[in-house]
Amino acid sequence: MAFSRTRLQYPELFGSRIQNQWTEQWEADSKVRNKAFLQNLAEYTEKLLDAVPEKDEAAKVDSLRAVLHILAHWPLPNKAALRKKAIRKVARLLPTMKKPPDLWEDEWQVIASPAMVPYLLRTFQSHSGFEEQHQRWLYQVAPVRAQELMISAVQQGDWRLALNWGHVVRPTAMLSRIIDSSAINVLTNYADEDNSDVEWTLLKFGTRAAAGSARKILASQECLGDPTLWAFLLKVEGSRAEQSLIRRYRKASASANCRTDAAIYKVVDEIDSTEWRTWMSYWSPALEAIFVSQLGNADRFVAAQAAELLGLYGSKQIEETLWAKVEAWQGSPPPESEHEDSSVEGPQYLEEEIIGALLNGRGRIGRNQIDRLRLMCLRMLGS
């Protein structure tokens, strides 16, 4: 409609006046056309917004999405005023709708404001379609309220919900104090239950104040102990925790009943690879040496996991070790894994991970390395 109206208003700027090459006249006409079109689009958008409350539910959804899409993508004149009006309208309309529209991120950003808090809270309380993006949106416009909801979940013992909030809420001193005491209480008194959500919440929000209690819990556990608690200690204590971890790893490795190689991989993976990590990753020469030694593990899945971490965090000094492993593979592939894993497709899995470590490692890949790998592949094809 906006385009048609513009064409009716300025017929002289359309038709034969539009050329396939740039001229000063073409540019001048284009500016007039664009200005008129955007002005008409703004007027029609405001009229549509005013008409939305009178429409039926399905038409409301379509109309709201059209308005938000236009405001998100078109540089309309007086756009700020239109956005404020849209916020007021949408804030009143959404709570009254049986099935509000599922907004895209760009549509939400048009109306993101404290005025949307009642709608988001209503969605949360009714559990109707409330997802992580709604939690993120609530935290964006009302961070204190989102933190209060997370604290409420902790106090009610709903650690799954608390962890969900933890994916979007950032740590504060007050929140961390509550997590420290509440998480340690659960881990100490309900040790036989599945406390993975509690541990992950402690990993993100816990502080050094909980380290002593975490050490006591680990001391009561068998083998290496819980990897997430070790990840927490590495986060808050650094090298001190690392020294304890490595001593425990070496001691537990002597037991045939302890799968310490897989466990220490999980420790590093959990502290370094978490998508919502807000802390510095942890890596050291001592940990690197452990994972380099695991490249020769008879369990190719363990060896492949070690290669994965070395590719992500390993130093340039291990490059020749990785090359030696790949070259040795060609002559004599490692034996079948003692502990088969359904995610491992075949013996080439380890080779692929080591090559990936070479290609993805920090500061390792260059023209010489690519040529070396190409020659290796050609030799394999010719053998």
Side-chain angles (χ1 to χ4, degrees), residues 153-159 178-199 201-202 213 217 221 229:
V154 170
Q155 292 171 339
Q156 294 174 24
D158 190 344
W159 287 92
I178 293 172
I179 297 297
D180 280 344
S181 60
S182 300
I184 291 299
N185 177 61
V186 172
L187 295 174
T188 301
N189 296 309
Y190 302 94
D192 295 333
E193 298 184 10
D194 179 6
N195 291 318
S196 56
D197 292 334
V198 182
E199 293 167 349
T201 307
L202 180 67
S213 298
I217 294 170
Q221 297 174 344
L229 283 183

Side-chain angles (χ1 to χ4, degrees), residues 204-223:
K204 178 171 183 180
F205 293 91
T207 69
R208 197 181 184 96
S213 298
R215 282 179 171 275
K216 291 179 182 178
I217 294 170
L218 283 167
S220 69
Q221 297 174 344
E222 298 178 348
C223 296

Side-chain angles (χ1 to χ4, degrees), residues 77 97 285 351 371:
M97 299 175 69
E351 181 190 26
D371 290 342

Side-chain angles (χ1 to χ4, degrees), residues 285-350:
L287 287 174
E288 181 171 282
I290 287 174
F291 291 111
V292 167
S293 70
Q294 289 183 9
L295 291 175
N297 197 298
D299 185 332
R300 70 169 182 270
F301 188 58
V302 169
Q305 287 183 322
E308 175 192 348
L309 290 182
L310 291 169
L312 290 171
Y313 310 111
S315 66
K316 186 173 176 59
Q317 283 67 36
I318 65 169
E319 180 180 338
E320 284 305 317
T321 300
L322 294 174
W323 280 113
K325 290 294 180 182
V326 174
E327 290 164 350
W329 173 274
Q330 296 181 42
S332 178
E336 291 292 323
S337 172
E338 180 182 348
H339 306 284
E340 287 298 328
D341 186 280
S342 60
S343 66
V344 181
E345 297 180 357
Q348 74 278 7
Y349 176 71
L350 173 58

Side-chain angles (χ1 to χ4, degrees), residues 323 327 330 367-383:
W323 280 113
E327 290 164 350
Q330 296 181 42
R367 187 69 194 177
N368 291 338
Q369 288 83 353
I370 293 175
D371 290 342
R372 184 175 178 180
L373 187 59
R374 183 182 293 113
L375 287 173
M376 185 184 300
C377 293
L378 290 173
R379 286 198 301 269
M380 291 177 65
L381 291 173
S383 60

